[in-house]
Amino acid sequence: MRSLATTVQNIFDEPGCAKNGSKSEAERKNGCTKQLQPGSAAGGCAFDGAKVALQPFTDVAHLVHGPIACEGNSWDNRGAASSGSNLWRTSFTTDLSETDIVFGGEKRLCKAIKEIIDKCDPPAIFVYQTCIPAMIGDDINAVCKAASQRFAKPVIPINSPGFVGSKNLGNKLAGEALLDYVIGTQEPDYTTPYDINLIGEYNLSGELWQVKPLLDELGIRILSCISGDGKYREVASAHRARAAMLVCSKSMINVARKMEQRYGIPFFEGAFYGIQDSSVSLRQLARLLVERGAPADLLGRTESVIAREEAWARAAIGPYKPRFEGKKALLITGGVKSWSIVAALQESGLELVGTSVKKSTGKDKERIKELMGQDAHMIEDMTPREMFKMLKDAKADIMLSGGKSQFVALKAAMPWLDINQERCHAYMGYVGMVKLVEEIDKSLSSPMWEQLRRPAPWDVLAKAMEQMQSPVAAIACDPALAETARRARKICVCNAVDLGTIEDAIYAHGLRSVAAVREHTNAAGGCCQRRIEGILVSEPSAMRQAAE
Amino acid sequence: MAIVTAPTKACAVNPLKMSQPIGGAFAFMGLRGAMPLLHGSQGCTSFGLTLFVRHFKEAVPLQTTAMSEVATVLGGYENLEQAILNIYNRTKPKVIGICSTGVTETNGDDVDAYLKLIRNKHPPLAKLPMVYVSTPDFKGAFQDGWEKAVARIVEVLVEGPSANGLRDPLKVNVLPGCHLTPGDIDELRAIVEDFGLCPSFLPDLAGSLDGHIPDEYTPTTTGGIGVDEIASMGRAGWTIAIGAQMQRAAEVMQVKTGVPFRVFERLCGLCPSDEFMTFLSEISGRPIPLKYRRQRGQLADAMLDAHFHIGGRKVAIGAEPDLLFDLSGMLHDMGAQVTAVVTTTQSEVIERIKTNEVLIGDLEDLEGLAKTHHCDLLITHSHGRQAAARLKLPFYRTGFPMFDRLGAGHQLSVGYRGTRNLIFEIANLVIAHREENDRPTPDKWRTASRLPLCSGYRSSTGAAAGSIG
């Protein structure tokens, strides 16, 4: 049994991570999580990350060992979808009280596990460690081991107290727990040469199901999805897959790499966002499967599916292109999405004014440059205040980001679209891409924005009142003064001659040409020529009016 | 008198409860230019933040001292110092509200002492108002955090009586409990002002979380009661505390400044509103405005119209003590049977709830009770929607969090108008549910079991509806 510290160290030393690979030995030991800044940190803790990564296993009971804050404040906050069991939506916590803190919470944890088994009898229980039981020394590994034996059921410790690090570290700790206790513990009923694993795919809003029909059509079977719509038995037998696709490389690269190492399952990083990415991912999957012994006709079948879907998606997006002309989008998101969505947006005719690269790797940035050109506006770190200003000054027409920054856009009365985990629409695959474009259009073209940007009536009235009290207003009220002011205005930028002089000359001498005006006044006629022409054209009728 | 029972389960299933620190942080959100700060690991803040954002659909200021494993071992002084400096330099807050969490409480961080050290070390911070509340996660619940934070704000920020001891009889302090929404506070402000009184709300969520569009981006709270106004609360003629949870803060205010107080445990319903109006009339020396006489008539009529639908209903409610006391009281007044009751934490009002038994428990308990008692209306926060779907019951959302419906901040339950709206909403919900689920069919009476317990009250209303139709 490894200690938590070793596990964390182990995760930091990740050869599969491009960023990590470029570091020196010493740097690598320090790990990649930035030291959190007290007072200006945002984002979840390791426990949050572990829960996020594993909760989409639908038939497992997720038991949080800690005081009420950890689960009571956070349960029921993500929209992964399940095709079967709904047990994952039930929240279990030991809700530690003061006495538990004093006397230790292990007994309570053990009783809680028994209660869950008596009530729901799930295929497995995942027990999450949080800060406080970790501080007081509750050994959840030991409790889980004892409970597994006593109840003859997998009880898996997920060692992820919040204070060990960020959400991302938590994702990886969850992956380690799967590698240590779950993957490879059961055998699938049968295997096919078309079995794949999806790693780091969470089926939020059921978006995996936007892609699954295509895989089904090709005969590719998702043996195990870690963890969207996942079931315990599937992940336990995931080691029999022929190939794997790493969907969110940020969260579970350790799982993909170690499965390659242990079970020889080759993997690639891919995404199903945008037309190009979806095609590339399907192609890669087919190629890996064929390399590992699937019949070679899979490649051809894949190509024809890709051709059909691409043609369909392009045709569906077509009508939006003219509507998006000249519209600018600001993209604030991380990782793969920073470029895969760029490609998608460009496809639909939107202009990108900037994309954030805060969480992107060097490779990601290269891809962005490839797509947006060398002078791509990559935003390293943008404060909410800057974002607000950018939107308020209408430098972008729409912002796409995660839910945390939504109010920056909305409060600037600018369209905003959620492209992160809390979104309620699914944007995966070809269907999802079309949906994304549809949603952007809906948001951009809402007649609401114009109304919202209008100033309040009292602001307009206040402005009018201000003008009433200004010297300009006094002139406007007195016709004589107004006339004097009008006549005193210089007609041209050269400031050589005023309107009154010219009018008098025209009136007195009945002038009809610029040259004549020039003769009778000091007008130079250079830059003023056009202006004098204008006066001559309008003059007769004005004079007639004066005569009448 | 209700019997109060505590849970015996080791495992809470579908918790109703939320933690104390975020309740405390919530109170600080009603202060202008405030930055609430949770002293704990960053997840503590992130979860609370997400919850508030989902409920209010607003940008919510909330910061963390980001305690790491090492910091937890060594003590949180440096993290707290850095956090305060960072917040001070970046967001220029008018006040920082600090709540401890389970991590720092287990650790035993002496935050009061830390604050003294920090102030001494950094002269610019010497005058920055900072309020610290101890709110361990492993004790109490959301409401307790609010209660403690408001009492602390009074203790720290309200100034003692001035030398001349002058009072302004038209000034009133209002201390609202956390069961009141920004909408409720707006309504109360209008009522109090209509009596010619000038209210100061502490905390004033209405200015900060009522969903307005500010002109500028502000990283701190955008509205609420200012620190100066809080300081001058000792000059008010009266303190009105709303909800039993506010008794403590009102007492602290009285001890510190001598301002007398009155606690209104309920403001939802006809009689509670009558009492409130009468009191305002007394302290202001003005008659009750015509507007409220009309509203009272409308509420009375609403009660008449709605009692057909609410009366006799067996209600299951899960809520924090004060909200529970208020709502269940109103429903009881309307003739409903408050049958299954679950709350989160101890409070002196829960014994007085008009029901047989109150359980301090979770939503699993509520679901179970609702099922065994054949309840036909479920009232709790958004987390209860799964239970309502399983039980096939009409479901009214109330309290915090309410993340799957819009307008949580503007839900109204106080005063004549608020009660009228609430009664209509609940009655309409019941009517809609009956129309969708209880349409009579030719076979309905043939196949339905004749056992009286089986479908209980609902089938009898179905019969009534059927015969009228």
Side-chain angles (χ1 to χ4, degrees):
Chain A
M1 186 94 29
R2 285 178 299 160
S3 74
L4 181 57
T6 341
T7 312
V8 171
Q9 200 52 249
N10 196 1
I11 288 173
F12 284 147
D13 189 16
E14 176 55 66
C17 170
K19 211 164 191 167
N20 207 338
S22 59
K23 284 181 185 169
S24 73
E25 189 65 31
E27 271 180 318
R28 215 171 299 165
K29 282 226 169 72
N30 286 335
C32 42
T33 25
K34 255 189 292 177
Q35 200 55 50
L36 300 168
Q37 267 282 46
S40 65
C45 59
F47 158 68
D48 190 10
K51 189 85 188 297
V52 161
L54 298 183
Q55 183 136 34
F57 284 118
T58 55
D59 58 352
V60 171
H62 301 270
L63 169 61
V64 177
H65 184 43
I68 196 66
C70 305
E71 180 69 353
N73 296 354
S74 75
W75 72 288
D76 200 6
N77 65 356
R78 288 172 75 91
S82 166
S83 58
S85 170
N86 257 330
L87 188 60
W88 70 280
R89 291 184 70 195
T90 306
S91 157
F92 301 98
T93 173
T94 46
D95 184 9
L96 296 180
S97 67
E98 204 166 17
T99 32
D100 297 313
I101 310 297
V102 176
F103 296 109
E106 289 177 357
K107 277 208 178 108
R108 193 184 186 103
L109 176 60
C110 199
K111 267 165 83 185
I113 292 169
K114 183 172 185 314
E115 281 178 17
I116 293 173
I117 290 173
D118 290 346
K119 253 181 245 175
C120 322
D121 194 28
I125 297 178
F126 285 179
V127 176
Y128 298 80
Q129 175 75 308
T130 60
C131 297
I132 292 164
M135 283 171 78
I136 60 172
D138 279 3
D139 186 349
I140 68 157
N141 289 356
V143 174
C144 288
K145 197 171 167 195
S148 300
Q149 282 164 0
R150 195 159 129 210
F151 305 117
K153 186 167 289 279
V155 181
I156 316 293
I158 317 288
N159 233 318
S160 56
F163 53 40
V164 294
S166 68
K167 195 164 168 177
N168 181 252
L169 178 66
N171 295 151
K172 296 196 165 70
L173 286 171
E176 290 295 317
L178 290 183
L179 288 163
D180 286 351
Y181 296 99
V182 186
I183 295 169
T185 57
Q186 294 187 22
E187 290 299 324
D189 294 333
Y190 65 98
T191 56
T192 73
Y194 299 103
D195 287 352
I196 60 159
N197 290 332
L198 295 179
I199 299 170
E201 161 51 43
Y202 302 115
N203 195 29
L204 296 166
S205 300
E207 61 184 5
L208 176 59
W209 300 329
Q210 294 180 310
V211 179
K212 195 167 177 291
L214 300 180
L215 297 177
D216 289 346
E217 188 184 344
L218 294 169
I220 296 174
R221 175 169 80 140
I222 302 173
L223 179 67
S224 165
C225 181
I226 302 173
S227 55
D229 192 21
K231 292 178 188 61
Y232 184 75
R233 205 181 138 63
E234 288 172 5
V235 63
S237 54
H239 60 297
R240 294 296 178 213
R242 317 286 291 184
M245 171 170 165
L246 183 58
V247 182
C248 178
S249 64
K250 280 277 170 178
S251 66
M252 284 209 181
I253 189 160
N254 53 335
V255 176
R257 190 185 55 78
K258 285 186 181 162
M259 284 184 78
E260 184 173 41
Q261 217 169 44
R262 285 184 201 173
Y263 310 109
I265 304 172
F267 75 94
F268 73 98
E269 283 184 52
F272 284 120
Y273 288 112
I275 295 177
Q276 291 157 4
D277 290 358
S278 302
S279 303
V280 168
S281 296
L282 286 177
R283 239 173 239 135
Q284 289 262 54
L285 272 178
R287 186 180 56 78
L288 280 185
L289 285 172
V290 170
E291 273 170 21
R292 294 218 58 213
D297 74 306
L298 178 62
L299 296 176
R301 285 192 289 127
T302 307
E303 284 308 326
S304 61
V305 165
I306 288 173
R308 187 192 69 208
E309 292 294 316
E310 281 198 359
W312 172 82
R314 294 227 157 82
I317 292 170
Y320 292 99
K321 277 193 178 172
R323 297 173 64 88
F324 287 172
E325 214 177 288
K327 295 277 192 239
K328 289 164 289 184
L330 175 64
L331 186 60
I332 305 287
T333 181
V336 191
K337 269 179 285 174
S338 58
W339 55 266
S340 66
I341 299 264
V342 167
L345 295 180
Q346 287 181 336
E347 191 106 32
S348 66
L350 275 172
E351 187 191 331
L352 259 286
V353 285
T355 179
S356 67
V357 288
K358 201 176 169 187
K359 293 189 202 160
S360 306
T361 61
K363 220 165 154 194
D364 288 337
K365 287 183 196 172
E366 271 167 40
R367 283 228 174 86
I368 293 169
K369 275 192 187 147
E370 224 169 85
L371 289 163
M372 292 172 64
Q374 277 304 312
D375 45 299
H377 187 41
M378 286 191 266
I379 300 158
E380 273 297 341
D381 200 0
M382 200 177 204
T383 66
R385 201 189 293 271
E386 286 162 348
M387 270 187 236
F388 183 82
K389 193 159 169 10
M390 189 160 178
L391 291 161
K392 190 107 189 175
D393 298 348
K395 291 202 179 112
D397 296 292
I398 184 167
M399 178 160 109
L400 296 104
S401 74
K404 283 209 188 76
S405 33
Q406 66 177 295
F407 301 108
V408 174
L410 294 178
K411 296 287 173 183
M414 290 306 273
W416 170 81
L417 200 65
D418 194 347
I419 50 163
N420 259 13
Q421 68 269 19
E422 289 120 12
R423 66 184 172 263
C424 42
H425 299 287
Y427 299 134
M428 241 197 205
Y430 304 97
V431 194
M433 173 66 209
V434 174
K435 181 78 191 160
L436 174 69
V437 170
E438 227 171 74
E439 287 298 317
I440 291 176
D441 181 59
K442 217 195 283 174
S443 189
L444 270 176
S445 62
S446 168
M448 178 188 80
W449 302 116
E450 208 194 310
Q451 296 171 56
L452 287 185
R453 287 176 203 140
R454 284 169 57 143
W458 50 83
D459 284 348
V460 181
L461 287 175
K463 214 170 177 184
M465 290 292 281
E466 211 172 85
Q467 280 172 353
M468 291 278 279
Q469 280 145 15
S470 73
V472 184
I475 291 170
C477 296
D478 184 341
L481 268 178
E483 178 61 12
T484 320
R486 190 184 69 86
R487 284 170 54 87
R489 236 179 318 167
K490 302 283 190 250
I491 65 160
C492 178
V493 279
C494 65
N495 279 332
V497 59
D498 59 36
L499 188 63
T501 317
I502 294 180
E503 277 183 358
D504 288 345
I506 294 172
Y507 187 70
H509 306 286
L511 304 177
R512 282 287 177 274
S513 73
V514 177
V517 172
R518 215 183 285 166
E519 245 170 63
H520 286 89
T521 65
N522 56 349
C527 57
C528 327
Q529 182 169 348
R530 302 261 319 265
R531 296 279 298 146
I532 297 170
E533 276 169 5
I535 296 165
L536 283 171
V537 169
S538 64
E539 205 58 19
S541 77
M543 285 203 305
R544 255 203 304 281
Q545 271 175 5
E548 283 160 18
Chain B
M1 281 289 270
I3 302 162
V4 178
T5 47
T8 51
K9 298 193 289 189
C11 179
V13 183
N14 296 339
L16 175 70
K17 184 166 68 167
M18 274 148 300
S19 74
Q20 248 199 117
I22 64 168
F26 191 33
F28 289 115
M29 287 172 204
L31 272 49
R32 184 177 309 140
M35 180 58 87
L37 170 66
L38 295 190
H39 185 31
S41 61
Q42 70 166 343
C44 305
T45 295
S46 142
F47 288 144
L49 187 65
T50 313
L51 203 57
F52 285 120
V53 169
R54 291 174 80 205
H55 178 84
F56 285 107
K57 317 267 187 291
E58 290 297 317
V60 170
L62 189 59
Q63 262 305 338
T64 170
T65 56
M67 293 290 285
S68 64
E69 195 171 11
V70 177
T72 308
V73 174
L74 300 178
Y77 171 78
E78 276 171 20
N79 282 55
L80 187 69
E81 182 186 28
Q82 262 193 53
I84 290 172
L85 285 175
N86 253 327
I87 292 172
Y88 178 74
N89 293 327
R90 281 184 175 218
T91 67
K92 306 267 175 286
K94 300 272 184 294
V95 52
I96 300 179
I98 303 151
C99 298
S100 65
T101 62
V103 176
T104 53
E105 287 286 341
T106 309
N107 215 19
D109 274 4
D110 184 351
V111 177
D112 276 319
Y114 288 178
L115 286 179
K116 265 188 205 140
L117 286 174
I118 293 168
R119 278 190 207 274
N120 287 341
K121 202 169 154 194
H122 306 279
L125 297 178
K127 288 217 168 118
L128 177 72
M130 291 194 268
V131 183
Y132 164 67
V133 207
S134 160
T135 48
D137 289 309
F138 44 76
K139 263 169 90 177
F142 192 79
Q143 183 184 305
D144 302 288
W146 173 282
E147 174 182 342
K148 282 188 193 170
V150 180
R152 275 296 280 171
I153 294 171
V154 172
E155 223 167 80
V156 177
L157 296 180
V158 175
E159 279 170 8
S162 57
N164 56 24
L166 277 182
R167 285 256 180 80
D168 182 351
L170 288 185
K171 245 175 86 94
V172 227
N173 301 328
V174 187
L175 308 177
C178 63
H179 59 304
L180 297 192
T181 64
D184 285 330
I185 290 174
D186 271 339
E187 179 79 5
L188 284 176
R189 192 191 326 269
I191 295 174
V192 174
E193 281 175 352
D194 283 342
F195 282 88
L197 298 166
C198 177
S200 297
F201 284 82
L202 177 72
D204 186 359
L205 290 174
S208 96
L209 286 171
D210 62 343
H212 58 282
I213 300 188
D215 294 330
E216 284 292 308
Y217 177 81
T218 33
T220 57
T221 51
T222 54
I225 184 168
V227 174
D228 298 342
E229 197 178 340
I230 299 175
S232 72
M233 285 177 94
R235 293 185 48 218
W238 274 94
T239 296
I240 300 172
I242 298 161
Q245 58 181 299
M246 301 316 280
Q247 169 117 17
R248 196 163 129 194
E251 282 169 3
V252 173
M253 179 83 81
Q254 189 180 32
V255 169
K256 194 159 184 193
T257 65
V259 178
F261 70 88
R262 168 136 180 210
V263 181
F264 289 87
E265 285 178 346
R266 285 182 51 195
L267 276 190
C268 178
L270 186 69
C271 295
S273 300
D274 280 349
E275 263 174 56
F276 186 59
M277 294 286 170
T278 316
F279 176 73
L280 289 179
S281 174
E282 273 166 20
I283 64 167
S284 67
R286 291 198 188 187
I288 294 169
L290 194 60
K291 180 172 153 192
Y292 297 107
R293 301 177 191 208
R294 267 206 302 271
Q295 281 185 10
R296 188 180 193 280
Q298 292 165 356
L299 170 58
D301 190 59
M303 291 167 75
L304 288 174
D305 296 343
H307 86 280
F308 298 108
H309 307 282
I310 297 179
R313 288 262 143 189
K314 286 191 195 157
V315 191
I317 313 185
E320 294 244 272
D322 277 343
L323 180 62
L324 179 66
F325 183 71
D326 203 0
L327 262 187
S328 64
M330 188 276 282
L331 288 163
H332 176 83
D333 295 347
M334 288 292 295
Q337 300 171 31
V338 179
T339 313
V341 181
V342 175
T343 190
T344 57
T345 177
Q346 266 300 345
S347 161
E348 54 125 351
V349 292
I350 55 181
E351 286 183 358
R352 287 186 275 124
I353 289 171
K354 303 250 176 28
T355 183
N356 295 327
E357 192 187 349
V358 178
L359 183 68
I360 298 179
D362 53 37
L363 288 173
E364 184 193 47
D365 299 325
L366 184 69
E367 189 176 341
L369 287 172
K371 198 167 187 177
T372 48
H373 291 290
H374 303 284
C375 288
D376 40 26
L377 176 61
L378 182 67
I379 300 180
T380 183
H381 56 51
S382 281
H383 286 305
R385 69 194 191 290
Q386 296 180 41
R390 280 190 289 264
L391 297 168
K392 300 191 177 59
L393 289 184
F395 176 42
Y396 184 73
R397 289 166 177 79
T398 187
F400 180 87
M402 201 173 101
F403 47 75
D404 59 338
R405 288 293 182 274
L406 299 180
H410 295 281
Q411 209 177 42
L412 211 55
S413 68
V414 299
Y416 297 127
R417 197 170 72 100
T419 310
R420 184 194 68 196
N421 288 356
L422 180 65
I423 285 176
F424 281 152
E425 261 177 64
I426 294 179
N428 285 337
L429 185 79
V430 168
I431 293 169
H433 189 267
R434 189 166 55 218
E435 279 176 359
E436 281 160 24
N437 300 290
D438 279 338
R439 289 211 170 266
T441 61
D443 289 331
K444 183 160 178 146
W445 310 112
R446 218 190 312 270
T447 52
S449 165
R450 295 285 167 191
L451 292 172
L453 262 181
C454 227
S455 54
Y457 182 79
R458 243 183 309 159
S459 61
S460 66
T461 52
S467 65
I468 292 164

